[in-house]
Amino acid sequence: MARALHRRSAHATGPLIQLDCAAWPDSLLDTELFGGARRTGSFGLARGGTLVLAEADKIAPAVQSKLVLALKNQQPDSPKAVRVMCITASRNPLS
């Protein structure tokens, strides 16, 4: 489903990056999403494309806050805005 949405979007020429949030412990998910001193995170790798977050209900509240800021193009750690279409999925109902 995410691949079809990506192909039919304005972001189709950009990369499609998929991240299983349940596969990462809270302490590493932030770095996997946003990167660190030596590597680009999934959010940056998806620049101009689509970021798919599977099991989004597993994202810790602190990382959720940072993600919301990044999606508003106000990245807390960088003055550069990143344009990304973000698709989230969960097996559990979200409230």
Side-chain angles (χ1 to χ4, degrees):
M1 177 67 81
R3 190 173 307 280
L5 289 170
H6 171 71
R7 285 188 198 141
R8 290 175 177 81
S9 76
H11 298 271
T13 58
L16 174 65
I17 304 296
Q18 300 182 39
L19 179 65
D20 181 358
C21 298
W24 294 91
D26 291 344
S27 59
L28 296 178
L29 183 57
D30 183 274
T31 303
E32 182 59 28
L33 269 171
F34 299 105
R38 296 184 180 167
R39 64 180 297 272
T40 303
S42 297
F43 196 82
L45 292 173
R47 181 184 302 272
T50 303
L51 175 62
V52 180
L53 300 175
E55 301 298 331
D57 59 313
K58 306 297 187 214
I59 301 174
V63 179
Q64 288 178 22
S65 297
K66 194 171 180 180
L67 182 60
V68 168
L69 289 174
L71 291 171
K72 288 182 175 181
N73 291 328
Q74 298 174 6
Q75 282 190 305
D77 297 332
S78 172
K80 297 178 182 178
V82 177
R83 295 195 44 88
V84 172
M85 178 171 73
C86 186
I87 299 172
T88 60
S90 173
R91 295 177 197 203
N92 300 314
L94 302 176
S95 52

